[in-house]
Amino acid sequence: MKHLIASFALLITSFLAVAETMTPEDPWEGFNRSIFSFNETVDEYGLKPLAQGYDAITPNFMQKGVSNFFSNLGEIPNTFNNLLQGKWDETASSTSRFLINTTIGLLGLFDVASAMGIEQYNEDFGQTLGYWGVGSGPYLVLPFFGPSTARDASGMVVDYSIYDGMDLYDFNSDEKWIGRGLNAIQTRAKYLSAERMIFGDRYSFLRDVYIQTREGEVKDISSTRDSSALTTPMPAASEGMQDSWRSEGDSWGETDSWGETDSWGEEL
């Protein structure tokens, strides 16, 4: 009986110790880590080597053009979500950016709007839900897409359901998938240099940076609102750490004729 009581006490003690170390925002950590491990494997043997090869053979100005093109397609959901949040100046800015870059900027290859001083305001439906008071819910790692939350994952479904930037052009199905693949590789290439800033447990680092950054974006207190979210595609980081993470990812650190310095200076 004594042994049984001792074993039960040990079990309770172990349970409490684990509970104390759990992150409240990440109650599904076991599941999330398994998906994270899957994504890391896909990245290590697939996406990262492709991104490294792409980065090695593709001139910077071409990479910048590709990034600008897909960023310009994103101005339509930016406009939509800024409008839903009642941000009239930001809505006008996103609309102007799309019209200017699509025309003068040659389908968005050149970021003329930024050169004209028109700021970019990236917004997605997850941010719109957060703006109107919907809580983030538990942290969630999505296969292939990476860090998210229950709210942001739901918002992603809406974003992808109502708008596909490729529909603006007369692309067939194969060309659309090639475009999406190029966008994924280009996005991954932006993060190659920034990886050296990850320290400690990689899963925890990326989780904490994502949660902190998204909170700032939803509350419009992020110092880098014009960054991508990812979206692919990041210990709780200070604002300085977030700024460094966002400013050392690629070799486009200088302003050039392709547009302003992008916020990653540049996740899966």
Side-chain angles (χ1 to χ4, degrees):
M1 185 64 177
K2 292 181 179 180
H3 293 296
L4 181 60
I5 294 175
S7 299
F8 181 74
L10 180 61
L11 179 62
I12 295 297
T13 302
S14 300
F15 175 80
L16 291 175
V18 171
E20 288 178 357
T21 60
M22 285 182 61
T23 304
E25 298 87 352
D26 189 10
W28 304 331
E29 183 171 344
F31 169 81
N32 285 333
R33 282 187 179 272
S34 64
I35 300 300
F36 178 80
S37 178
F38 167 78
N39 287 344
E40 290 285 282
T41 300
V42 172
D43 181 64
E44 181 179 0
Y45 295 103
L47 190 56
K48 185 176 180 178
L50 288 173
Q52 290 172 325
Y54 169 86
D55 188 57
I57 66 175
T58 307
N60 286 341
F61 77 91
M62 291 184 65
Q63 293 190 38
K64 187 64 175 177
V66 171
S67 183
N68 285 343
F69 175 81
F70 287 105
S71 178
N72 186 55
L73 293 183
E75 293 296 352
I76 293 182
N78 290 345
T79 300
F80 173 74
N81 284 291
N82 276 308
L83 181 62
L84 288 180
Q85 295 176 41
K87 299 175 180 177
W88 313 122
D89 291 343
E90 288 85 343
T91 300
S93 180
S94 296
T95 303
S96 299
R97 286 182 59 84
F98 179 75
L99 294 176
I100 291 171
N101 287 341
T102 300
T103 54
I104 303 176
L106 302 180
L107 303 182
L109 292 175
F110 293 88
D111 190 359
V112 180
S114 290
M116 296 172 63
I118 303 176
E119 191 172 354
Q120 184 176 28
Y121 297 97
N122 279 343
E123 298 285 345
D124 54 54
F125 197 69
Q127 289 171 257
T128 297
L129 292 174
Y131 179 85
W132 291 111
V134 178
S136 65
Y139 178 71
L140 178 65
V141 179
L142 300 174
F144 302 107
F145 290 95
S148 186
T149 62
R151 180 197 63 207
D152 293 342
S154 300
M156 185 184 300
V157 173
V158 174
D159 285 327
Y160 279 89
S161 298
I162 65 174
Y163 170 73
D164 182 355
M166 295 290 183
D167 291 338
L168 290 175
Y169 305 104
D170 189 24
F171 294 146
N172 60 40
S173 179
D174 291 339
E175 290 169 338
K176 287 183 179 180
W177 281 109
I178 292 173
R180 294 186 185 105
L182 178 60
N183 186 30
I185 294 172
Q186 172 62 57
T187 301
R188 182 63 180 89
K190 295 179 183 181
Y191 290 83
L192 291 174
S193 297
E195 285 186 306
R196 67 179 180 270
M197 300 189 65
I198 299 177
F199 59 89
D201 178 49
R202 184 179 176 89
Y203 170 85
S204 299
F205 184 98
L206 298 179
R207 176 195 63 198
D208 294 345
V209 170
Y210 177 84
I211 291 174
Q212 186 170 342
T213 301
R214 284 296 284 180
E215 181 179 4
E217 290 171 347
V218 168
K219 295 180 179 179
D220 290 340
I221 59 176
S222 171
S223 61
T224 51
R225 288 195 62 207
D226 60 339
S227 66
S228 319
L230 205 86
T231 349
T232 147
M234 302 175 323
S238 64
E239 183 176 338
M241 173 62 75
Q242 291 184 50
D243 290 344
S244 298
W245 175 264
R246 292 180 178 273
S247 64
E248 298 188 12
D250 65 19
S251 54
W252 304 334
E254 299 180 357
T255 302
D256 57 27
S257 61
W258 292 85
E260 67 175 357
T261 304
D262 67 30
S263 59
W264 288 91
E266 352 177 342
E267 124 300 26
L268 230 114

